[in-house]
Amino acid sequence: MKTIKDIRLYKSEKINDFGLPITTSFTNKKLSAVLHRIVMKLREQEFSLGGFDHLYINFTICNIPREIELSEKVDREHPWYRYCSVKINEELYFKLDSEESNKTILKSIEKVLVGCFATEEFDEKLIHNCIKEAIEYGEDMLMLFKEKSTSNRKAKIFLRYLDSFKYLPLLRVYDCNNSIIFEKNLPETLTLDCFGNIQLSSKRITIKPRKNIFAVNMKDIVFEF
């Protein structure tokens, strides 16, 4: 079982010679930010789509057997994604790119997640709660990204996702009574390469960058408290 990584949106109005929809990606700035937050919150709770981690939702005016149709077709070279088609009317179809359709699109995404992927371990209520939190809190929504514990300290790094498509991380350090003893907004960032291993003592925290080519020139983040 794989934890969800991404949801992408497509639309289609024609079928190719092989009977498959001809898809085009779509979104708008606000919808993209909300959708990313939804995936963040679902990922935090370890929500799984099953044997794949990318869900491509295709809004279509083509004929499909049901209102929501999860494809069983697997791309052998890219088995990490599946298409799920959602039947919509033409009025909505030709307004998919506009922000006025965002609310309707998000409701359809929720129907897909509940209808196709709810389980006893991660039921309908949990899915609703994740989506509700992402929509209501917006840029202030926190996702627990990393944590480190010692015998008397605990550090947590939370992510917030801004409408500018940047992350605004928040660092909190707790004592043994779970009271916050240090809190700091970390710099906005497009990537998360600066957050690798966490070293924590009673008076200092060091956040080391990831060990990859993108983080070669990044320095440790260090705070004393």
Side-chain angles (χ1 to χ4, degrees):
M1 302 292 282
K2 297 183 177 181
T3 304
I4 190 171
K5 284 187 178 179
D6 197 10
I7 295 176
R8 300 181 188 180
L9 304 181
Y10 295 83
K11 59 183 180 179
S12 65
E13 56 183 295
K14 293 182 180 179
I15 300 292
N16 64 21
D17 293 339
F18 302 99
L20 300 174
I22 303 172
T23 59
T24 305
S25 62
F26 79 92
T27 190
N28 57 68
K29 188 175 180 179
K30 285 187 177 180
L31 179 60
S32 182
V34 174
L35 188 55
H36 190 79
R37 292 181 194 118
I38 289 172
V39 172
M40 286 171 63
K41 184 53 64 172
L42 289 168
R43 184 168 179 78
E44 178 192 55
Q45 300 300 316
E46 299 184 347
F47 175 76
S48 177
L49 298 167
F52 57 100
D53 50 30
H54 285 60
L55 179 62
Y56 294 174
I57 300 180
N58 170 41
F59 291 83
T60 185
I61 54 176
C62 301
N63 289 325
I64 57 177
R66 291 178 289 275
E67 180 185 357
I68 296 174
E69 183 75 9
L70 180 62
S71 175
E72 296 181 0
K73 182 177 176 59
V74 179
D75 186 331
R76 292 184 179 179
E77 295 184 3
H78 308 95
W80 37 265
Y81 77 87
R82 297 286 192 284
Y83 269 102
C84 183
S85 292
V86 178
K87 176 73 172 180
I88 59 173
N89 58 49
E90 289 192 5
E91 181 182 1
L92 174 59
Y93 183 83
F94 292 107
K95 295 192 298 185
L96 285 174
D97 297 288
S98 66
E99 290 184 2
E100 65 180 291
S101 300
N102 286 0
K103 189 174 181 179
T104 302
I105 292 169
L106 290 170
K107 284 184 177 179
S108 293
I109 293 169
E110 189 167 10
K111 282 185 179 180
V112 168
L113 294 174
V114 169
C116 298
F117 303 104
T119 63
E120 290 186 6
E121 293 77 20
F122 207 108
D123 61 16
E124 179 178 343
K125 184 178 179 180
L126 283 173
I127 295 173
H128 287 316
N129 288 342
C130 288
I131 295 173
K132 181 180 179 182
E133 187 171 344
I135 293 173
E136 289 189 356
Y137 284 88
E139 290 186 312
D140 294 322
M141 187 201 81
L142 296 177
M143 170 202 174
L144 178 60
F145 177 60
K146 279 182 176 290
E147 63 180 317
K148 174 75 173 183
S149 295
T150 65
S151 58
N152 59 0
R153 293 286 185 267
K154 179 184 292 184
K156 294 183 178 182
I157 298 175
F158 297 91
L159 298 179
R160 288 165 294 193
Y161 192 69
L162 306 178
D163 290 336
S164 62
F165 303 150
K166 290 183 178 181
Y167 294 102
L168 177 57
L170 173 66
L171 170 64
R172 286 176 178 166
V173 180
Y174 304 78
D175 63 16
C176 56
N177 297 314
N178 211 35
S179 297
I180 297 174
I181 59 173
F182 182 78
E183 184 174 71
K184 182 75 173 180
N185 284 322
L186 302 179
E188 293 182 15
T189 177
L190 280 170
T191 72
L192 301 172
D193 296 303
C194 52
F195 304 114
N197 184 48
I198 299 174
Q199 296 177 354
L200 180 64
S201 68
S202 59
K203 295 184 178 180
R204 175 183 290 190
I205 182 169
T206 302
I207 305 168
K208 294 187 168 293
R210 292 175 174 173
K211 295 180 179 180
N212 61 36
I213 191 172
F214 304 107
V216 170
N217 297 316
M218 292 182 178
K219 297 180 179 180
D220 294 354
I221 300 171
V222 182
F223 295 108
E224 294 186 352
F225 43 83

